[in-house]
Amino acid sequence: MTGAPALAKVAVLISGRGSNMQALAAHAGDAYEIVVVASDKPEAAGLAWALQAGLPTFALSPRGIGKQAYEAALDAALREAGAEWIALAGYMRLLSDDFVARWRGRIVNIHPSLLPKYKGLDTHARAIAAGDAEAGCSVHLVTEELDGGEVLGQARVPILPGDTPDTLAERVLAAEHRLYPAVLADMVRR
Ligand code: GRF
């Protein structure tokens, strides 16, 4: 008799409220499980949620210890937790080339634009200023190039007359919450 296939072990990295982490957690148990939620901001609201949800957490600020020591400790914590994949979910720190190389092909990120458009910050304001008819979000592999790795999935939403960066962000965020769990599940299965 064969049992259910093992769930892929995912570490989720956050820096803030963690709504994408919550969406990932809501869909865990089918293709993947979350083995640790890690944050570079010990005060991140998402970390408190993860703790309450009973998820293992790891919090460490690079402040005072430097990027190299911080990333070494993060790497050790993720491996200790048994992570096979890393899902960045509002993680606002650039990972070093060394870190990316150690996890090559196993780090994914969600970005609030239709990549390759609007890499970096202020994506919604830039899409509105450009007069775009639609915006959206992308899940992509993380490489050494900021928001530059292979796009694994995208969701589109309209930009409506009168939209502000905030109203557009809200519409895109709802799409993010649907897209990320689906793409992550596909990714770990392939
Ligand atoms: C999301 O818009 C995500 O695309 C971007 O940062 C935001 C994080 O939001 N990378 P949350 O912390 O998941 O609520």
Side-chain angles (χ1 to χ4, degrees), residues 16-20 89-90 110-112 173 176:
R17 72 191 155 183
S19 70
N20 277 289
I110 185 143
H111 182 74
L173 192 64
E176 293 182 36

Side-chain angles (χ1 to χ4, degrees), residues 96-105 107 144:
S96 70
D97 291 359
D98 274 0
F99 188 97
V100 170
R102 281 199 295 275
W103 290 86
R104 184 162 314 284
I107 311 177
E144 288 80 354

